[in-house]
Amino acid sequence: MYYNGIYHLFYQYNPKGSVWGNIVWAHSVSKDLINWEKVEHAIFPSKPFDQYGTWSGSATVLPGNKPVIMYTGIIDQNNTQVQNYAIPANLSDPYLRVWIKPDDNPLVKANEFINKTSFRDPTTAWLGRDGKWRISIGGRMKHRGIAHLYRSRDFLHWVKAKHPLHSVAGTGNWECPDFFPVSVQGTNGLDTSVMGENVKHVLKVSLDVTRYEYYTLGMYDTTKDRYIPDKDMVDGWKGLRYDYGNFYASKSFFDPAKNRRILWGWANESDAVIDDIRKGWAGIQVIPRTIVLDPNGKQLLQWPIEEIQALRGKKVEVRDKKLEKGERIEIKGITAAQADVEIIFTFESLDKAETFDPSWDRYDGQNLCSQKGSTVQGGVGPFGLLTLATENLEEYTPVFFRIFKDQEKHLVLMCSDASRSSLYNETGTYRPSFAGFVDVDLSHKKLSLRSLIDHSVVESFGARGKTCITSRVYPTLAIYDNTHLYAFNNGTETIKIETLKAWSMNKPNLMNH
């Protein structure tokens, strides 16, 4: 949340180890979203209503500029979940270091019809026209995913609505729901309570079964208090995702300082648990992203926050460079292990695009990318970047496009393939060929790609943020000064780099008390 000039990040953290368990709400503060200072843990198990765990939730800033946290408490060994609140002990402390959990907790308990062990992660609250606050809580009934809806006049006494905000059969448990408005016109973010004309709503859920996040765009019917996805939305496992890679449990918040909505996700590990224990840590927050509605109204666009540019150092540029079939060129002069790369590719014709086989699943880019990797020659593509690469490509993580010819249109596949990222091979490592399709107009015969490369993370944004993929990789050879960065083309159609800009990225200041 943003409060009195300070950004606050609360995150699930295990102070006693590097794998999941003993979860507290750790707390860090920043004035610019880039340089962070760790402060005392905000919430930790200490009362009967959370003695077995303080799990995820959200912050809401109430009228009178009063922040309140709603979080899930675990009350017994059976994993029974309730919703609690916490408030700052001292509003004049700019960092809000100490949080109090009043004794009238819990505020929300599951009734006899709710699965008490899948009842968690309350959203940021929004205020209805009737003067009542609303929150949604994730859950499931057998295999049906549910966003439960609760209402309150005073933020203390909550009543369950007769029906959920939304639910979908066969999707399993919904974690970390997020419900917020986006503007149909312009790029400004909206406060969570905004409704009315020129507004669409987004419902995002993290699906426990697949460990990916899915969202739909739709209408919030304020009369019936229900969310209705747009007709052309796929509402379930084959739907739109924020990110097609290592990205989960995200939250968005409205930043009134810059009138934007910021999305912040967590990158889970690709290493085996034994390696996490060896390293002493697991999981990171990725770079915060602004989130806006695509002008086509059919999806969201994400882009790294502008503040990240403050870390840019040395810059190199490449212009009007042709890449023939099988060619790769090295991007020299920057720190390839820690870089920000923006590139625009052009091509003269789509005639050589491969035919999209009707037997392929057009919702499963990952499976297609595993068959059609960066080394499999195509027509238009594969072309893109080889990140975190060794000189002789023993290790590399390619981020690339491949264009297919479908019946009436062309399909663009974007991949971030971790399968060749590391020679290390512990049992239990997770290195898939992440991929998603990009809904982009190819009439200009251009495709853009931006990749943020940071030692063990490659965050990539295709077509100005239409499709995003985060890969978590651990090279053994392509580290520090032994890391290389290449642009490549393995298609028969000549690809031109219209412009490529790459920057060495400096480290932010991380301060610990």
Side-chain angles (χ1 to χ4, degrees):
M1 70 173 180
Y2 179 84
Y3 183 74
N4 288 357
I6 304 281
Y7 294 99
H8 294 260
L9 170 66
F10 304 98
Y11 50 101
Q12 300 273 274
Y13 173 63
N14 178 2
K16 298 178 180 175
S18 55
V19 292
W20 200 89
N22 311 299
I23 294 296
V24 305
W25 276 52
H27 183 190
S28 292
V29 291
S30 172
K31 289 182 176 162
D32 60 6
L33 288 169
I34 299 296
N35 302 289
W36 289 87
E37 183 176 349
K38 190 166 169 29
V39 294
E40 294 86 334
H41 299 330
I43 301 171
F44 42 86
S46 65
K47 299 271 183 102
F49 49 77
D50 67 8
Q51 61 186 327
Y52 287 87
T54 53
W55 287 9
S56 190
S58 305
T60 304
V61 181
L62 297 180
N65 205 25
K66 293 177 179 170
V68 58
I69 283 171
M70 292 274 280
Y71 72 97
T72 298
I74 311 301
I75 61 170
D76 57 29
Q77 290 175 318
N78 299 329
N79 211 16
T80 302
Q81 295 158 23
V82 298
Q83 316 312 320
N84 304 315
Y85 79 111
I87 52 176
N90 177 11
L91 282 175
S92 62
D93 171 12
Y95 286 1
L96 304 177
R97 289 177 178 87
V98 179
W99 289 74
I100 296 165
K101 299 180 291 189
D103 286 331
D104 53 356
N105 276 304
L107 295 188
V108 181
K109 293 181 187 175
N111 67 23
E112 66 270 30
F113 303 111
I114 289 176
N115 183 332
K116 295 179 177 61
T117 60
S118 296
F119 182 61
R120 55 181 175 269
D121 312 337
T123 62
T124 296
W126 67 96
L127 190 59
R129 294 193 180 103
D130 56 2
K132 290 181 183 174
W133 288 98
R134 286 148 173 84
I135 55 168
S136 185
I137 299 166
R140 71 180 168 90
M141 186 62 70
K142 294 186 176 170
H143 299 297
R144 174 177 282 275
I146 300 175
H148 298 289
L149 181 66
Y150 285 79
R151 303 186 191 102
S152 173
R153 280 212 178 275
D154 59 4
F155 223 84
L156 293 174
H157 302 89
W158 291 88
V159 177
K160 185 180 180 300
K162 287 192 174 72
H163 54 75
L165 179 68
H166 190 53
S167 75
V168 180
T171 51
N173 192 38
W174 287 6
E175 295 191 305
C176 303
D178 200 10
F179 184 61
F180 58 90
V182 285
S183 177
V184 172
Q185 296 168 327
T187 56
N188 276 353
L190 299 174
D191 178 84
T192 311
S193 296
V194 170
M195 295 163 209
E197 298 292 308
N198 294 320
V199 168
K200 271 186 184 281
H201 270 75
V202 179
L203 178 63
K204 183 277 304 187
V205 292
S206 306
L207 289 194
D208 207 8
V209 179
T210 63
R211 306 303 285 176
Y212 291 126
E213 301 204 295
Y214 303 81
Y215 75 88
T216 53
L217 292 161
M219 182 195 82
Y220 177 33
D221 183 335
T222 53
T223 311
K224 294 180 178 169
D225 233 353
R226 281 181 188 266
Y227 167 72
I228 302 150
D230 288 347
K231 282 192 171 58
D232 52 354
M233 286 287 138
V234 178
D235 197 1
W237 295 10
K238 293 187 171 183
L240 293 167
R241 295 189 212 164
Y242 279 163
D243 191 297
Y244 290 81
N246 289 91
F247 189 95
Y248 196 71
S250 69
K251 292 301 262 191
S252 73
F253 72 99
F254 175 64
D255 174 11
K258 292 194 174 183
N259 272 331
R260 58 187 172 171
R261 181 157 288 271
I262 293 175
L263 173 71
W264 215 344
W266 166 69
N268 43 340
E269 286 301 325
S270 56
D271 264 357
V273 170
I274 190 168
D275 290 311
D276 295 339
I277 293 167
R278 223 175 265 152
K279 287 184 305 214
W281 48 268
I284 55 160
Q285 297 298 125
V286 298
I287 303 298
R289 305 170 179 182
T290 56
I291 189 166
V292 299
L293 184 66
D294 187 315
N296 71 15
K298 293 179 177 175
Q299 66 169 108
L300 297 169
L301 300 177
Q302 298 164 66
W303 200 245
I305 53 166
E306 61 187 10
E307 287 87 341
I308 196 73
Q309 295 172 27
L311 296 178
R312 285 174 171 174
K314 189 176 180 192
K315 178 185 181 183
V316 297
E317 283 195 59
V318 175
R319 288 181 182 277
D320 297 328
K321 175 74 180 170
K322 281 187 178 174
L323 288 172
E324 306 291 350
K325 181 181 82 174
E327 197 174 354
R328 67 178 154 105
I329 59 161
E330 184 164 8
I331 316 303
K332 292 183 174 175
I334 56 160
T335 53
Q338 200 161 352
D340 184 355
V341 190
E342 292 193 39
I343 186 166
I344 296 172
F345 296 103
T346 64
F347 35 87
E348 288 192 359
S349 168
L350 290 165
D351 293 346
K352 295 178 184 171
E354 302 157 77
T355 301
F356 190 83
D357 187 326
S359 70
W360 294 339
D361 185 344
R362 64 188 59 241
Y363 297 106
D364 190 354
Q366 188 167 316
N367 186 37
L368 185 53
C369 182
S370 66
Q371 298 169 43
K372 300 261 183 187
S374 61
T375 57
V376 179
Q377 185 188 308
V380 187
F383 60 88
L385 295 171
L386 305 177
T387 72
L388 299 175
T390 51
E391 195 171 359
N392 299 317
L393 300 189
E394 297 95 341
E395 294 179 335
Y396 61 99
T397 300
V399 183
F400 60 94
F401 297 112
R402 194 177 202 114
I403 301 175
F404 295 93
K405 209 181 285 157
D406 202 13
Q407 288 121 354
E408 300 298 316
K409 54 175 189 168
H410 288 86
L411 288 177
V412 179
L413 180 70
M414 176 177 160
C415 297
S416 181
D417 186 354
S419 61
R420 298 167 188 250
S421 60
S422 179
L423 294 174
Y424 180 72
N425 199 17
E426 175 69 57
T427 305
T429 51
Y430 175 59
R431 298 206 190 101
S433 311
F434 288 131
F437 289 98
V438 191
D439 182 7
V440 62
D441 175 10
L442 292 177
S443 58
H444 300 297
K445 299 190 175 60
K446 288 186 183 187
L447 268 173
S448 71
L449 176 65
R450 182 177 181 187
S451 287
L452 298 173
I453 302 158
D454 189 18
H455 297 287
S456 67
V457 194
V458 183
E459 277 188 76
S460 300
F461 302 80
R464 297 293 301 174
K466 279 176 175 279
T467 299
C468 310
I469 309 179
T470 299
S471 280
R472 192 90 167 102
V473 293
Y474 288 98
T476 58
L477 305 174
I479 56 174
Y480 304 114
D481 295 341
N482 294 327
T483 307
H484 298 262
L485 174 66
Y486 302 96
F488 81 98
N489 174 27
N490 274 337
T492 50
E493 174 71 30
T494 300
I495 300 296
K496 190 158 119 184
I497 297 172
E498 186 178 279
T499 58
L500 181 152
K501 299 174 186 174
W503 294 264
S504 295
M505 295 297 274
N506 299 313
K507 289 187 167 121
N509 300 314
L510 297 173
M511 297 172 286
N512 291 320
H513 272 321

